[in-house]
Amino acid sequence: MRPKIPWLPSMLPHGATPERCARCGRLAVIPWTLRRDQRRKIVLRTYVCTECQTTEERPEPE
């Protein structure tokens, strides 16, 4: 297992509704940060698994 990255969450925040992680299979994927893609002009939300630290970006409805 890779070491935890300090700026990513390592535990679920209180009241979070996690999704299942495709990599480790645990209910630990939560929305984390927003950023705007300058080339496509859309807002992307980064989701992170608090267990295996996998990240995924998904388009965010505006």
Side-chain angles (χ1 to χ4, degrees):
M1 179 180 247
R2 297 181 316 179
K4 300 275 184 172
I5 302 170
W7 52 270
L8 292 177
S10 60
M11 55 191 313
L12 290 173
H14 180 68
T17 307
E19 298 175 13
R20 188 159 307 277
C21 178
R23 182 172 177 211
C24 69
R26 297 182 181 152
L27 281 173
V29 176
I30 57 170
W32 191 240
T33 60
L34 287 172
R35 77 173 186 90
R36 184 174 297 280
D37 185 347
Q38 295 302 317
R39 289 181 303 163
R40 297 186 289 170
K41 302 294 185 204
I42 61 172
V43 177
L44 297 170
R45 167 122 12 222
T46 301
Y47 285 77
V48 63
C49 176
T50 59
E51 294 294 325
C52 68
Q53 302 284 284
T54 301
T55 58
E56 174 188 3
E57 286 190 328
R58 302 177 194 169
E60 182 80 3
E62 293 190 37

